[in-house]
Amino acid sequence: MSRSSRPAPDPLSDVLALLDARVARLTRLEAAGSWALAFPAAERLKFVAVLRGEIRIAPEGAEPRRLAAGDVCLLGRPAYRVASDGSAPPLDGRALYAGRDAARLGGEEVVCVGGSLVVSGPGAGLLLDLLPDFAAVEAEGSGAVAAVLGLIAAEAERDGLGARLVSARLAEVLLVEAIRACAGRGTGWLGALGDPRLGRALQALHADVARPWTVAALAEVAGMSRAAFAEAWDG
């Protein structure tokens, strides 16, 4: 294979493949009126996507964030609460979904889907360390996210043969697209994926992990001075 025809190194795919990351469970919420659910802290990476209506979602210690139809958020380890507004006392969300993948609270004004990513091996916490505890992707911010959400909604309506498998695969695509959308405004490893210069350095490192890389060598790949590269990488 010629040098130009080799696939470009893809650090995100490498990490997800190494950890055997997959969406193991896809859940659905239909709700109306005033309601709230609380979920405890856990070793997880989860997404929540709004298909209809709007919700308020708040990780522990943070102000509630409004999500409308087409919006998606990523949730890490902290406890969080999802609600119609701030007035309802929260139900135990984990107990509500015990033994089932769908819940209904009074109607269909709001329809959400959620998915939890599971990873294998001793590096299970690596992805959680690399990603933010909470990040939101608004509908107008990513056409790819909107397209995948549309497919998930259509698959739920069809309820045909293989629907569970198709929905799980679409959920994995949605999660990757959400991470991609967040990469451009993240910091550290995630931010490096979204920065063209740091991304080149990270791809080079993944392409030749046996090489004794130095800051100067990585800075050269990135097309930056050593000082500027070190500052950007640490940030």
Side-chain angles (χ1 to χ4, degrees):
M1 181 180 290
S2 69
R3 190 177 189 86
S4 61
S5 62
R6 290 179 187 150
D10 183 351
L12 178 57
S13 293
D14 289 347
V15 169
L16 295 178
L18 177 67
L19 299 177
D20 190 23
R22 64 194 184 280
V23 172
R25 187 183 186 192
L26 189 65
T27 58
R28 182 180 175 95
L29 171 67
E30 298 175 357
S34 183
W35 56 271
L37 299 175
F39 294 87
E43 287 290 312
R44 60 163 175 252
L45 175 63
K46 182 175 182 177
F47 75 82
V48 174
V50 184
L51 302 181
R52 182 187 305 163
E54 65 179 56
I55 61 173
R56 303 292 189 278
I57 191 162
E60 189 173 40
E63 290 297 316
R65 175 74 177 266
R66 174 185 173 274
L67 297 182
D71 295 344
V72 180
C73 73
L74 300 177
L75 294 155
R77 294 183 176 100
Y80 71 94
R81 172 175 165 157
V82 57
S84 58
D85 52 46
S87 63
L91 302 173
D92 183 339
R94 187 167 56 179
L96 182 67
Y97 282 98
R100 57 179 173 176
D101 293 331
R104 185 180 177 93
L105 300 173
E108 299 181 12
E109 291 177 2
V110 172
V111 177
C112 300
V113 293
S116 296
L117 190 77
V118 296
V119 297
S120 303
L126 174 62
L127 195 60
L128 291 174
D129 292 337
L130 297 174
L131 294 170
D133 288 334
F134 178 80
V137 181
E138 296 181 351
E140 61 270 21
S142 173
V145 167
V148 178
L149 273 179
L151 291 173
I152 289 176
E155 191 61 35
E157 293 296 326
R158 289 177 60 194
D159 196 25
L161 291 173
R164 186 176 301 173
L165 177 63
V166 172
S167 295
R169 296 297 175 265
L170 288 172
E172 290 170 0
V173 174
L174 178 63
L175 188 63
V176 172
E177 289 296 344
I179 293 173
R180 281 176 170 176
C182 292
R185 43 195 169 87
T187 59
W189 182 86
L190 183 61
L193 291 179
D195 184 289
R197 299 173 301 171
L198 296 180
R200 285 197 298 271
L202 191 56
Q203 288 174 353
L205 190 154
H206 276 255
D208 190 1
V209 293
R211 177 177 171 179
W213 288 99
T214 64
V215 172
L218 289 170
E220 183 178 358
V221 172
M224 303 169 68
S225 70
R226 178 175 173 174
F229 176 83
E231 181 179 357
W233 189 267
D234 289 339

